Amino acid sequence: MKHTILKCLGIAFVVSLGIAPAKAQNTLTDPEIAHVAVTANSIDIGYAEIAKEKSKDADVLNFAKAMASDHKAVIDQAVALVTKLHVTPADNGVSKKMLADAEKTKKMLRSKSGKAFDKAYIDNEVAYHKAVIAAVETVLIPQSHNAELKDLLQKVAPTLKTHLEHAEMVQSNFNGHGSKHMGKM
Amino acid sequence: MAASIWVKCKQAALLPVICLLLNSCTDNTADNGIQAETAPAAEQPKFEVLTVEIKDMKFVPDSITVKKGDEVVFVNRDIVTHCVTEEKSKAWTSGMILAGESYIWKATESAAYICAIHKVMKGKIVVQ
Ligand SMILES: [Cu+2]
């Protein structure tokens, strides 16, 4: 039951990442999957960099630092793997859509400051990690052909889930303290 | 690089086995009442070395019971950096444990700990 709900949620998130339409037309190749994986990680590093510039909240800064470091570690692994396999990541519609969406989100984040920025950043981290986890589990892992690529994606999944839990923890602290002073975002 | 890390990990993993072997040797000697010519009993380590793996963003096992003087080796099997930090007052920390590296904690007193990088990662050590 719970699994079915998660699946439904997953599909919703995948749609929000722009992966579902691509799946409907045709499946992703391994070089495309590698490109999507690297793009998804780079995007979160981009968000973290904005947070490091704009936030003064210790929890947000700590989280952003972890995101920058962990997602770089994943990219390093992905690059090492494609180098070893002599594969060149291939740009594709999914990567393009993700980057276009990320540009909009970054613009939104840059327009905010103070507590409103912290909340917007963490809310986006929660939503983004949910979407990426769903994409990794329902699209990228099942569509990977190369066993090592599949392994790497499977190894990354728990990292993403821990990031989500961590983001939700920071988010719940904000909701606990901030709701008295701030109206609805 | 990778090879030396593996050797390191393997050594860490083997330590408890070595300790067990040494202990069992000592016991046998005592049971048989034969005075062995090997190292005297006084030089046998009395403490144990236990391993906690940091794997898939979890401390495994997340709860461990040790004796004072034992050593706990935290081995990072993940691709990301972790740390081990005393939770309540940050009394001690491993500092960054890079992927493939490990940290040895000497058991002094019981502690609940977290990874200060990923604050949802938790574990505890009970020192008896
Ligand atoms: Cu950690």
Side-chain angles (χ1 to χ4, degrees):
Chain A
M1 187 60 202
K2 199 180 166 198
H3 186 70
T4 315
I5 294 166
L6 283 176
K7 250 188 166 164
C8 293
L9 281 172
I11 287 160
F13 291 127
V14 173
V15 171
S16 80
L17 264 189
I19 293 183
K23 192 190 177 190
Q25 284 155 22
N26 51 37
T27 54
L28 294 166
T29 64
D30 281 1
E32 286 172 339
I33 288 170
H35 196 280
V36 169
V38 170
T39 303
N41 283 286
S42 314
I43 287 171
D44 206 51
I45 294 173
Y47 295 151
E49 262 146 26
I50 299 175
K52 285 201 262 180
E53 275 168 37
K54 300 198 73 152
S55 182
K56 291 188 171 60
D57 184 283
D59 287 336
V60 169
L61 288 170
N62 176 62
F63 178 82
K65 223 169 120 186
M67 291 310 101
S69 161
D70 288 4
H71 287 289
K72 186 185 176 295
V74 175
I75 291 174
D76 289 348
Q77 291 284 321
V79 169
L81 179 60
V82 295
T83 306
K84 182 187 148 195
L85 298 173
H86 304 291
V87 166
T88 308
D91 198 2
N92 58 85
V94 176
S95 292
K96 284 194 170 79
K97 171 85 168 68
M98 288 171 72
L99 281 175
D101 288 348
E103 278 314 308
K104 283 182 214 157
T105 303
K106 285 202 265 187
K107 211 172 153 190
M108 177 275 288
L109 289 174
R110 285 199 188 98
S111 76
K112 294 182 189 291
S113 56
K115 279 240 181 293
F117 169 83
D118 291 338
K119 193 176 182 313
Y121 169 70
I122 285 297
D123 286 350
N124 181 59
E125 284 300 296
V126 169
Y128 186 71
H129 276 85
K130 281 181 180 171
V132 173
I133 290 163
V136 167
E137 290 187 332
T138 66
V139 181
L140 304 187
I141 291 173
Q143 293 192 5
S144 298
H145 288 98
N146 181 278
E148 286 178 275
L149 178 60
K150 211 184 262 281
D151 277 355
L152 176 59
L153 291 165
Q154 265 155 354
K155 213 156 62 175
V156 168
T159 311
L160 297 171
K161 286 177 185 173
T162 301
H163 290 171
L164 173 59
E165 263 180 69
H166 190 175
E168 284 173 336
M169 185 183 88
V170 179
Q171 187 184 47
S172 73
N173 290 346
F174 281 161
N175 292 340
H177 300 297
S179 55
K180 274 177 280 178
H181 307 289
M182 294 194 306
K184 279 213 171 100
M185 292 287 299
Chain B
M1 176 72 186
S4 75
I5 287 164
W6 268 111
V7 171
K8 245 182 169 172
C9 290
K10 272 189 184 161
Q11 283 172 341
L14 279 175
L15 278 171
V17 179
I18 293 164
C19 287
L20 280 175
L21 286 173
L22 288 173
N23 284 339
S24 67
C25 286
T26 315
D27 290 342
N28 283 344
T29 309
D31 287 350
N32 299 336
I34 297 166
Q35 201 62 29
E37 283 179 356
T38 47
E43 282 180 24
Q44 303 297 331
K46 288 188 287 285
F47 58 84
E48 279 185 273
V49 179
L50 302 101
T51 301
V52 172
E53 286 190 308
I54 313 175
K55 202 176 166 192
D56 292 337
M57 310 298 280
K58 285 187 175 67
F59 293 105
V60 186
D62 62 357
S63 178
I64 190 169
T65 302
V66 301
K67 294 183 303 299
K68 201 166 183 169
D70 284 352
E71 286 181 347
V72 181
V73 184
F74 291 87
V75 186
N76 183 0
R77 308 266 189 219
D78 276 344
I79 60 173
V80 300
T81 302
H82 293 293
C83 78
V84 185
T85 302
E86 194 275 326
E87 186 175 19
K88 219 172 164 187
S89 60
K90 312 277 179 289
W92 50 266
T93 181
S94 62
M96 293 202 289
I97 309 172
L98 303 182
E101 301 206 333
S102 52
Y103 167 71
I104 300 172
W105 185 77
K106 189 106 180 152
T108 48
E109 55 180 3
S110 298
Y113 62 83
I114 59 166
C115 167
I117 301 167
H118 312 101
K119 290 183 176 173
V120 291
M121 294 175 60
K122 294 174 185 225
K124 74 174 179 187
I125 308 168
V126 178
V127 180
Q128 283 184 335

Short mmCIF file of all heavy atoms in Angstrom, two decimals, chain A residues 41 44 63 66-67 69-74 77 129 132-133 136-137 151-167, chain B residues 55-58 76-82 117-118 120-121:
data_model
loop_
_atom_site.label_atom_id
_atom_site.label_comp_id
_atom_site.label_asym_id
_atom_site.label_seq_id
_atom_site.Cartn_x
_atom_site.Cartn_y
_atom_site.Cartn_z
N ASN A 41 23.47 16.21 -10.41
CA ASN A 41 24.39 16.52 -9.30
C ASN A 41 24.94 17.93 -9.41
O ASN A 41 25.05 18.64 -8.41
CB ASN A 41 25.52 15.49 -9.25
CG ASN A 41 25.08 14.17 -8.64
OD1 ASN A 41 24.91 14.08 -7.44
ND2 ASN A 41 24.86 13.18 -9.47
N ASP A 44 22.51 20.59 -8.11
CA ASP A 44 22.43 20.77 -6.66
C ASP A 44 23.66 21.49 -6.11
O ASP A 44 23.57 22.20 -5.10
CB ASP A 44 22.20 19.43 -5.95
CG ASP A 44 21.50 19.66 -4.61
OD1 ASP A 44 20.46 20.36 -4.60
OD2 ASP A 44 22.01 19.18 -3.58
N PHE A 63 24.39 22.22 5.76
CA PHE A 63 23.73 21.37 4.77
C PHE A 63 24.28 21.67 3.36
O PHE A 63 24.60 20.74 2.60
CB PHE A 63 22.21 21.58 4.81
CG PHE A 63 21.46 20.78 3.79
CD1 PHE A 63 21.15 19.44 4.03
CD2 PHE A 63 21.08 21.34 2.57
CE1 PHE A 63 20.47 18.69 3.07
CE2 PHE A 63 20.40 20.59 1.63
CZ PHE A 63 20.10 19.26 1.87
N ALA A 66 27.64 20.18 2.79
CA ALA A 66 27.56 18.74 2.56
C ALA A 66 27.09 18.44 1.15
O ALA A 66 27.60 17.53 0.48
CB ALA A 66 26.62 18.10 3.59
N MET A 67 26.10 19.23 0.65
CA MET A 67 25.59 19.01 -0.71
C MET A 67 26.70 19.22 -1.74
O MET A 67 26.88 18.42 -2.66
CB MET A 67 24.42 19.95 -1.03
CG MET A 67 23.14 19.68 -0.26
SD MET A 67 22.61 17.96 -0.30
CE MET A 67 23.16 17.42 1.29
N SER A 69 29.91 19.05 -1.36
CA SER A 69 30.95 18.03 -1.26
C SER A 69 30.46 16.66 -1.75
O SER A 69 31.12 15.99 -2.54
CB SER A 69 31.41 17.96 0.20
OG SER A 69 32.06 16.76 0.45
N ASP A 70 29.27 16.25 -1.31
CA ASP A 70 28.77 14.92 -1.67
C ASP A 70 28.45 14.81 -3.16
O ASP A 70 28.76 13.81 -3.81
CB ASP A 70 27.49 14.58 -0.87
CG ASP A 70 27.80 14.31 0.59
OD1 ASP A 70 28.96 14.44 1.01
OD2 ASP A 70 26.85 13.96 1.33
N HIS A 71 27.79 15.84 -3.71
CA HIS A 71 27.42 15.75 -5.13
C HIS A 71 28.65 15.82 -6.02
O HIS A 71 28.68 15.23 -7.10
CB HIS A 71 26.37 16.81 -5.47
CG HIS A 71 25.02 16.47 -4.90
ND1 HIS A 71 24.24 15.43 -5.38
CD2 HIS A 71 24.34 16.97 -3.85
CE1 HIS A 71 23.14 15.34 -4.66
NE2 HIS A 71 23.17 16.27 -3.71
N LYS A 72 29.70 16.50 -5.53
CA LYS A 72 30.95 16.50 -6.28
C LYS A 72 31.57 15.09 -6.26
O LYS A 72 32.08 14.60 -7.26
CB LYS A 72 31.94 17.52 -5.71
CG LYS A 72 33.18 17.63 -6.57
CD LYS A 72 34.25 18.54 -5.99
CE LYS A 72 35.50 18.53 -6.85
NZ LYS A 72 36.17 17.21 -6.88
N ALA A 73 31.48 14.44 -5.10
CA ALA A 73 32.01 13.08 -4.98
C ALA A 73 31.30 12.13 -5.95
O ALA A 73 31.92 11.27 -6.57
CB ALA A 73 31.87 12.57 -3.55
N VAL A 74 29.97 12.32 -6.09
CA VAL A 74 29.21 11.47 -7.01
C VAL A 74 29.64 11.75 -8.46
O VAL A 74 29.85 10.82 -9.25
CB VAL A 74 27.69 11.69 -6.85
CG1 VAL A 74 26.91 10.89 -7.89
CG2 VAL A 74 27.24 11.31 -5.45
N GLN A 77 32.90 10.11 -9.23
CA GLN A 77 32.72 8.67 -9.47
C GLN A 77 32.17 8.42 -10.86
O GLN A 77 32.59 7.50 -11.55
CB GLN A 77 31.76 8.08 -8.43
CG GLN A 77 32.31 8.03 -7.02
CD GLN A 77 33.30 6.91 -6.82
OE1 GLN A 77 33.12 5.81 -7.33
NE2 GLN A 77 34.38 7.18 -6.10
N HIS A 129 15.39 16.80 -4.08
CA HIS A 129 15.88 15.45 -3.76
C HIS A 129 14.79 14.40 -3.94
O HIS A 129 15.08 13.29 -4.39
CB HIS A 129 16.48 15.42 -2.34
CG HIS A 129 17.92 15.88 -2.31
ND1 HIS A 129 18.26 17.20 -2.21
CD2 HIS A 129 19.08 15.19 -2.43
CE1 HIS A 129 19.59 17.30 -2.25
NE2 HIS A 129 20.11 16.10 -2.38
N VAL A 132 14.73 13.77 -7.65
CA VAL A 132 15.91 13.04 -8.15
C VAL A 132 15.88 11.58 -7.70
O VAL A 132 16.19 10.66 -8.47
CB VAL A 132 17.22 13.74 -7.73
CG1 VAL A 132 18.42 12.90 -8.11
CG2 VAL A 132 17.32 15.12 -8.39
N ILE A 133 15.48 11.35 -6.43
CA ILE A 133 15.38 9.97 -5.93
C ILE A 133 14.40 9.17 -6.81
O ILE A 133 14.70 8.06 -7.23
CB ILE A 133 14.92 9.93 -4.45
CG1 ILE A 133 16.03 10.47 -3.55
CG2 ILE A 133 14.55 8.51 -4.03
CD1 ILE A 133 15.56 10.86 -2.14
N VAL A 136 16.00 8.51 -10.19
CA VAL A 136 17.06 7.49 -10.11
C VAL A 136 16.43 6.10 -9.98
O VAL A 136 16.82 5.16 -10.68
CB VAL A 136 18.01 7.78 -8.92
CG1 VAL A 136 18.90 6.58 -8.61
CG2 VAL A 136 18.87 9.01 -9.22
N GLU A 137 15.42 5.98 -9.10
CA GLU A 137 14.86 4.66 -8.82
C GLU A 137 13.91 4.15 -9.89
O GLU A 137 13.87 2.95 -10.14
CB GLU A 137 14.15 4.68 -7.45
CG GLU A 137 15.16 4.79 -6.32
CD GLU A 137 14.54 4.64 -4.95
OE1 GLU A 137 13.34 4.96 -4.79
OE2 GLU A 137 15.26 4.21 -4.02
N ASP A 151 25.20 -0.10 -10.75
CA ASP A 151 25.76 -0.18 -9.39
C ASP A 151 26.00 1.20 -8.80
O ASP A 151 25.67 1.45 -7.64
CB ASP A 151 27.12 -0.92 -9.40
CG ASP A 151 26.94 -2.42 -9.38
OD1 ASP A 151 25.79 -2.88 -9.25
OD2 ASP A 151 27.96 -3.13 -9.49
N LEU A 152 26.59 2.06 -9.61
CA LEU A 152 26.90 3.41 -9.12
C LEU A 152 25.61 4.14 -8.73
O LEU A 152 25.52 4.73 -7.66
CB LEU A 152 27.68 4.21 -10.17
CG LEU A 152 27.98 5.67 -9.80
CD1 LEU A 152 28.80 5.76 -8.51
CD2 LEU A 152 28.72 6.38 -10.93
N LEU A 153 24.60 4.03 -9.59
CA LEU A 153 23.32 4.70 -9.29
C LEU A 153 22.69 4.12 -8.03
O LEU A 153 22.11 4.83 -7.21
CB LEU A 153 22.37 4.56 -10.48
CG LEU A 153 22.78 5.36 -11.73
CD1 LEU A 153 22.00 4.89 -12.95
CD2 LEU A 153 22.60 6.85 -11.52
N GLN A 154 22.85 2.80 -7.86
CA GLN A 154 22.29 2.16 -6.66
C GLN A 154 23.04 2.60 -5.41
O GLN A 154 22.45 2.72 -4.34
CB GLN A 154 22.33 0.63 -6.80
CG GLN A 154 21.01 0.10 -7.33
CD GLN A 154 21.11 -1.22 -8.05
OE1 GLN A 154 22.21 -1.74 -8.26
NE2 GLN A 154 19.98 -1.77 -8.44
N LYS A 155 24.33 2.85 -5.56
CA LYS A 155 25.14 3.30 -4.45
C LYS A 155 24.79 4.75 -4.07
O LYS A 155 24.92 5.14 -2.92
CB LYS A 155 26.63 3.20 -4.84
CG LYS A 155 27.53 2.86 -3.69
CD LYS A 155 28.85 2.20 -4.11
CE LYS A 155 29.74 3.03 -4.99
NZ LYS A 155 31.05 2.41 -5.27
N VAL A 156 24.35 5.50 -5.07
CA VAL A 156 24.05 6.92 -4.84
C VAL A 156 22.69 7.09 -4.14
O VAL A 156 22.49 8.03 -3.37
CB VAL A 156 24.10 7.68 -6.18
CG1 VAL A 156 23.52 9.08 -6.05
CG2 VAL A 156 25.54 7.75 -6.70
N ALA A 157 21.77 6.17 -4.38
CA ALA A 157 20.41 6.31 -3.85
C ALA A 157 20.35 6.55 -2.33
O ALA A 157 19.66 7.48 -1.89
CB ALA A 157 19.56 5.10 -4.27
N PRO A 158 21.07 5.75 -1.51
CA PRO A 158 21.02 6.03 -0.06
C PRO A 158 21.56 7.40 0.32
O PRO A 158 21.10 8.01 1.29
CB PRO A 158 21.89 4.93 0.56
CG PRO A 158 22.17 3.95 -0.51
CD PRO A 158 21.89 4.57 -1.82
N THR A 159 22.54 7.87 -0.44
CA THR A 159 23.09 9.20 -0.18
C THR A 159 22.01 10.25 -0.38
O THR A 159 21.82 11.14 0.45
CB THR A 159 24.28 9.49 -1.14
OG1 THR A 159 25.17 8.38 -1.10
CG2 THR A 159 25.02 10.75 -0.75
N LEU A 160 21.27 10.12 -1.49
CA LEU A 160 20.19 11.08 -1.79
C LEU A 160 19.11 11.03 -0.71
O LEU A 160 18.57 12.05 -0.30
CB LEU A 160 19.58 10.76 -3.15
CG LEU A 160 20.53 10.90 -4.35
CD1 LEU A 160 19.87 10.34 -5.61
CD2 LEU A 160 20.94 12.35 -4.56
N LYS A 161 18.80 9.81 -0.25
CA LYS A 161 17.76 9.67 0.77
C LYS A 161 18.17 10.31 2.09
O LYS A 161 17.35 10.91 2.78
CB LYS A 161 17.41 8.20 0.96
CG LYS A 161 16.59 7.66 -0.20
CD LYS A 161 16.30 6.20 -0.06
CE LYS A 161 15.58 5.69 -1.31
NZ LYS A 161 15.42 4.23 -1.30
N THR A 162 19.45 10.17 2.44
CA THR A 162 19.94 10.81 3.66
C THR A 162 19.92 12.33 3.51
O THR A 162 19.56 13.05 4.45
CB THR A 162 21.37 10.31 3.98
OG1 THR A 162 21.31 8.91 4.15
CG2 THR A 162 21.92 10.95 5.24
N HIS A 163 20.26 12.82 2.31
CA HIS A 163 20.17 14.27 2.06
C HIS A 163 18.73 14.75 2.26
O HIS A 163 18.48 15.80 2.84
CB HIS A 163 20.59 14.60 0.62
CG HIS A 163 22.07 14.41 0.38
ND1 HIS A 163 22.62 14.47 -0.88
CD2 HIS A 163 23.09 14.17 1.24
CE1 HIS A 163 23.93 14.28 -0.78
NE2 HIS A 163 24.24 14.08 0.48
N LEU A 164 17.79 13.97 1.76
CA LEU A 164 16.37 14.34 1.89
C LEU A 164 15.97 14.42 3.37
O LEU A 164 15.36 15.40 3.80
CB LEU A 164 15.49 13.34 1.13
CG LEU A 164 13.98 13.49 1.30
CD1 LEU A 164 13.50 14.87 0.85
CD2 LEU A 164 13.22 12.41 0.53
N GLU A 165 16.35 13.38 4.13
CA GLU A 165 16.04 13.37 5.57
C GLU A 165 16.65 14.58 6.27
O GLU A 165 16.02 15.22 7.11
CB GLU A 165 16.68 12.13 6.22
CG GLU A 165 15.78 10.95 6.41
CD GLU A 165 16.57 9.82 7.07
OE1 GLU A 165 16.94 9.97 8.25
OE2 GLU A 165 16.86 8.82 6.40
N HIS A 166 17.89 14.87 5.89
CA HIS A 166 18.62 16.00 6.49
C HIS A 166 17.91 17.32 6.14
O HIS A 166 17.68 18.17 7.01
CB HIS A 166 20.06 15.97 5.96
CG HIS A 166 21.00 16.91 6.65
ND1 HIS A 166 22.34 16.94 6.39
CD2 HIS A 166 20.79 17.88 7.58
CE1 HIS A 166 22.93 17.87 7.13
NE2 HIS A 166 22.00 18.45 7.86
N ALA A 167 17.53 17.47 4.87
CA ALA A 167 16.83 18.69 4.43
C ALA A 167 15.50 18.83 5.17
O ALA A 167 15.14 19.93 5.61
CB ALA A 167 16.61 18.66 2.92
N LYS B 55 28.45 2.77 5.99
CA LYS B 55 28.10 2.18 4.71
C LYS B 55 26.68 2.60 4.34
O LYS B 55 25.78 2.49 5.18
CB LYS B 55 28.16 0.66 4.87
CG LYS B 55 28.33 -0.10 3.60
CD LYS B 55 28.49 -1.58 3.91
CE LYS B 55 28.31 -2.39 2.66
NZ LYS B 55 28.18 -3.81 2.96
N ASP B 56 26.50 3.02 3.11
CA ASP B 56 25.17 3.46 2.65
C ASP B 56 24.57 4.48 3.62
O ASP B 56 23.39 4.41 3.96
CB ASP B 56 24.23 2.27 2.46
CG ASP B 56 24.67 1.39 1.29
OD1 ASP B 56 25.40 1.90 0.40
OD2 ASP B 56 24.31 0.20 1.27
N MET B 57 25.41 5.40 4.09
CA MET B 57 24.99 6.51 4.95
C MET B 57 24.46 6.04 6.31
O MET B 57 23.62 6.68 6.92
CB MET B 57 23.91 7.36 4.24
CG MET B 57 24.25 7.79 2.84
SD MET B 57 25.73 8.82 2.71
CE MET B 57 25.10 10.43 3.17
N LYS B 58 24.99 4.89 6.77
CA LYS B 58 24.60 4.39 8.10
C LYS B 58 25.82 3.89 8.85
O LYS B 58 26.78 3.44 8.23
CB LYS B 58 23.60 3.24 7.95
CG LYS B 58 22.21 3.67 7.56
CD LYS B 58 21.26 2.47 7.61
CE LYS B 58 19.83 2.90 7.35
NZ LYS B 58 19.62 3.37 5.96
N ASN B 76 35.11 4.06 6.64
CA ASN B 76 34.18 4.70 5.70
C ASN B 76 34.17 3.95 4.36
O ASN B 76 35.09 4.05 3.57
CB ASN B 76 34.57 6.17 5.47
CG ASN B 76 33.60 6.88 4.55
OD1 ASN B 76 32.62 6.29 4.08
ND2 ASN B 76 33.86 8.15 4.28
N ARG B 77 33.11 3.19 4.12
CA ARG B 77 32.97 2.41 2.88
C ARG B 77 32.19 3.18 1.81
O ARG B 77 31.91 2.65 0.75
CB ARG B 77 32.23 1.11 3.15
CG ARG B 77 32.79 0.28 4.28
CD ARG B 77 33.75 -0.76 3.76
NE ARG B 77 34.13 -1.69 4.81
CZ ARG B 77 35.36 -2.19 4.95
NH1 ARG B 77 36.30 -1.84 4.10
NH2 ARG B 77 35.63 -3.03 5.91
N ASP B 78 31.77 4.41 2.14
CA ASP B 78 30.97 5.19 1.18
C ASP B 78 31.87 5.99 0.22
O ASP B 78 33.08 6.03 0.39
CB ASP B 78 30.04 6.14 1.93
CG ASP B 78 28.75 5.45 2.38
OD1 ASP B 78 28.45 4.36 1.85
OD2 ASP B 78 28.05 6.00 3.24
N ILE B 79 31.23 6.63 -0.76
CA ILE B 79 32.00 7.46 -1.69
C ILE B 79 32.04 8.91 -1.21
O ILE B 79 32.70 9.74 -1.81
CB ILE B 79 31.43 7.39 -3.13
CG1 ILE B 79 29.98 7.87 -3.19
CG2 ILE B 79 31.55 5.98 -3.68
CD1 ILE B 79 29.45 7.97 -4.61
N VAL B 80 31.33 9.21 -0.12
CA VAL B 80 31.33 10.58 0.40
C VAL B 80 32.05 10.62 1.76
O VAL B 80 32.23 9.60 2.41
CB VAL B 80 29.90 11.15 0.55
CG1 VAL B 80 29.19 11.17 -0.79
CG2 VAL B 80 29.09 10.36 1.57
N THR B 81 32.46 11.82 2.16
CA THR B 81 33.16 12.03 3.43
C THR B 81 32.17 11.98 4.61
O THR B 81 31.07 12.52 4.51
CB THR B 81 33.86 13.40 3.40
OG1 THR B 81 34.76 13.42 2.30
CG2 THR B 81 34.63 13.66 4.69
N HIS B 82 32.57 11.35 5.68
CA HIS B 82 31.76 11.34 6.90
C HIS B 82 32.64 11.76 8.08
O HIS B 82 33.84 11.96 7.92
CB HIS B 82 31.22 9.93 7.18
CG HIS B 82 30.23 9.44 6.18
ND1 HIS B 82 28.98 9.99 6.03
CD2 HIS B 82 30.30 8.44 5.26
CE1 HIS B 82 28.33 9.35 5.07
NE2 HIS B 82 29.10 8.41 4.58
N ILE B 117 28.46 16.04 9.50
CA ILE B 117 28.23 16.47 8.11
C ILE B 117 26.79 16.13 7.72
O ILE B 117 26.10 16.94 7.12
CB ILE B 117 29.24 15.77 7.17
CG1 ILE B 117 30.67 16.11 7.59
CG2 ILE B 117 28.97 16.17 5.71
CD1 ILE B 117 31.74 15.24 6.93
N HIS B 118 26.37 14.90 8.06
CA HIS B 118 25.00 14.46 7.78
C HIS B 118 24.35 14.19 9.13
O HIS B 118 24.46 13.08 9.67
CB HIS B 118 25.00 13.17 6.95
CG HIS B 118 25.91 13.23 5.76
ND1 HIS B 118 27.16 12.66 5.74
CD2 HIS B 118 25.75 13.81 4.55
CE1 HIS B 118 27.73 12.87 4.57
NE2 HIS B 118 26.90 13.58 3.82
N VAL B 120 21.65 13.50 10.34
CA VAL B 120 20.66 12.45 10.60
C VAL B 120 21.32 11.08 10.81
O VAL B 120 20.65 10.12 11.16
CB VAL B 120 19.60 12.38 9.47
CG1 VAL B 120 18.71 13.62 9.49
CG2 VAL B 120 20.24 12.21 8.10
N MET B 121 22.63 11.01 10.61
CA MET B 121 23.35 9.75 10.83
C MET B 121 23.78 9.67 12.29
O MET B 121 24.55 10.50 12.75
CB MET B 121 24.60 9.67 9.94
CG MET B 121 24.32 9.61 8.47
SD MET B 121 25.86 9.66 7.50
CE MET B 121 26.73 8.20 8.08
#
